[in-house]
Amino acid sequence: RPLVTAIGGAVTLGLAGMALQAQAATEVSLGHTLSSNSHYAVGAQAFKETLEELSDGAFTVTEHTSGSLGGEREMIEGLQIGTVDIVITSTGPLGNFVPETYVLDLPFLFEDYDQARCVLDSDLGDELLAKMGEHDLVGLAWSENGFRHMTNSSREIASPADAEGLRVRTMENEVHQEAFRQMGARPTPMAFPELFTALQQGTVDGQENPITVIVATNFWEVQDYLSLTGHVYSPAAVLGSPILLDGLSDEEREWFHEAARASAQATRQEVSRLEEEGVALLEENGMTVKTDIDIGPFQDAVEPAYEIFTAEHGSEMLERIQEQA
Ligand code: EAX
């Protein structure tokens, strides 16, 4: 009898302990626009594992994929008002909130992944993350989307002339829109969750995204041609909501920063892997891929976008990046 009571007591204590822990756990919502087999999902899982481990289960992370919390612009707004806690987003719509980040979206700014990652990991990258604090956002880490390439359903694009008149969906980013206007295309800004249907229904003829996104979204189902233009490097940011993060202790906040860095690291690795394997996969799925593109004429075509950019945003950040790159 005493033994049973002792066991009963231990079980009760154990259950009480579990209940306490369950009560204390804070659920953190994390949103992104891509599918659960994407490089963002890999990053989301790394964020989850790291935060849950560092906090010993005090925080649990729930991932919301495929734009189920809205497009990137909407999710950034969600961070500002606290309806979502963590967002992995391209810089596409970010310039609308933090104009200092527009510089990163200039076409042909970076030559390769090493260069881009190096700049984002430098003081300049930290400065840009800190800037987000002035706009009701917490910049946690620079992650990655990848170099963007053009796809469409009409024809092979080998030169800017081939893009003439093409209705190309762009992100909601004025620098990108200007670049495509200069190329002679007809840019149509649109949130990512609407894109697949727009391509399917022919509302737009083409779009541009990194190999990672083209693979994760099965764009081969609605696009026949891929041209490896690599016309712009697309960074991603891991952002937090000040509504959650401002209320945490320094130690807790540092866990979020560390989780975001682990997330970025995992995502970059996945981007590199897909850069190696993705094109073959797209060809297997029936896309015609133009690989040996002469980017000179594309660079010439988008040159005026730089003047328009500096007239509006100044040239200081741009020059600093160009010096480092
Ligand atoms: O961040 O909107 C886009 O084309 C982005 O590349 C996508 O949402 C991933």
Side-chain angles (χ1 to χ4, degrees):
R1 183 119 204 199
L3 182 65
V4 170
T5 311
I7 291 172
V11 168
T12 312
L13 266 177
L15 284 174
M18 274 166 66
L20 261 180
Q21 214 180 33
Q23 233 174 26
T26 302
E27 190 186 322
V28 173
S29 57
L30 181 157
H32 62 82
T33 50
L34 300 177
S35 62
S36 54
N37 66 346
S38 64
H39 57 305
Y40 285 1
V42 167
Q45 286 309 308
F47 184 92
K48 177 181 168 72
E49 276 161 31
T50 309
L51 183 66
E52 291 179 358
E53 196 182 306
L54 287 173
S55 70
D56 203 10
F59 293 96
T60 56
V61 178
T62 306
E63 179 189 6
H64 302 271
T65 62
S66 307
S68 58
L69 300 181
E72 293 184 329
R73 186 175 44 76
E74 287 166 298
M75 283 193 290
I76 296 171
E77 282 165 4
L79 290 171
Q80 293 181 319
I81 59 173
T83 52
V84 56
D85 301 313
I86 302 291
V87 170
I88 302 175
T89 177
S90 73
T91 47
L94 191 56
N96 298 306
F97 300 85
V98 189
E100 290 85 356
T101 64
Y102 270 133
V103 67
L104 299 172
D105 288 290
L106 280 165
F108 301 109
L109 179 64
F110 298 113
E111 260 169 41
D112 54 36
Y113 279 100
D114 282 347
Q115 213 182 56
R117 290 171 184 178
C118 202
V119 167
L120 290 172
D121 292 344
S122 73
D123 292 347
L124 190 143
D126 289 344
E127 257 173 65
L128 287 173
L129 287 176
K131 274 275 172 233
M132 298 182 198
E134 295 168 22
H135 304 274
D136 287 330
L137 296 167
V138 183
L140 291 172
W142 285 115
S143 183
E144 188 163 78
N145 196 12
F147 276 93
R148 302 180 78 90
H149 307 290
M150 295 170 69
T151 73
N152 78 94
S153 54
S154 321
R155 56 182 175 262
E156 183 171 277
I157 293 178
S159 73
D162 300 322
E164 188 95 36
L166 214 63
R167 290 167 307 170
V168 179
R169 175 270 178 177
T170 69
M171 296 197 286
E172 298 163 280
N173 181 298
E174 61 181 47
V175 176
H176 284 203
Q177 286 169 60
E178 191 55 49
F180 279 93
R181 253 192 299 278
Q182 296 297 340
M183 241 185 257
R186 290 158 58 193
T188 308
M190 187 185 291
F192 188 79
E194 292 162 37
L195 178 53
F196 192 92
T197 310
L199 291 169
Q200 199 167 35
Q201 296 181 343
T203 318
V204 290
D205 308 307
Q207 64 90 44
E208 43 85 55
N209 251 303
I211 299 295
T212 51
V213 178
I214 300 170
V215 168
T217 317
N218 298 3
F219 274 146
W220 58 77
E221 290 174 12
V222 285
Q223 299 278 270
D224 299 324
Y225 300 96
L226 165 63
S227 293
L228 299 182
T229 44
H231 52 274
V232 66
Y233 174 78
S234 184
V238 183
L239 303 178
S241 168
I243 311 260
L244 171 69
L245 286 153
D246 288 356
L248 302 181
S249 70
D250 288 349
E251 188 193 15
E252 289 170 327
R253 210 173 304 116
E254 187 45 38
W255 294 338
F256 278 74
H257 281 274
E258 211 168 315
R261 287 190 290 266
S263 169
Q265 175 75 13
T267 294
R268 282 179 179 181
Q269 256 171 36
E270 182 66 0
V271 170
S272 295
R273 189 184 72 79
L274 282 164
E275 279 293 330
E276 301 260 304
E277 298 167 19
V279 172
L281 193 83
L282 295 172
E283 278 175 329
E284 272 165 40
N285 281 288
M287 285 188 109
T288 303
V289 184
K290 175 90 183 126
T291 51
D292 52 341
I293 306 249
D294 177 10
I295 60 163
F298 285 94
Q299 281 176 307
D300 293 345
V302 301
E303 189 58 36
Y306 273 72
E307 281 139 47
I308 292 166
F309 169 84
T310 49
E312 178 130 344
H313 302 285
S315 57
E316 194 222 317
M317 271 291 184
L318 174 60
E319 280 164 17
R320 282 177 60 196
I321 292 176
Q322 284 170 332
E323 269 164 35
Q324 277 189 50

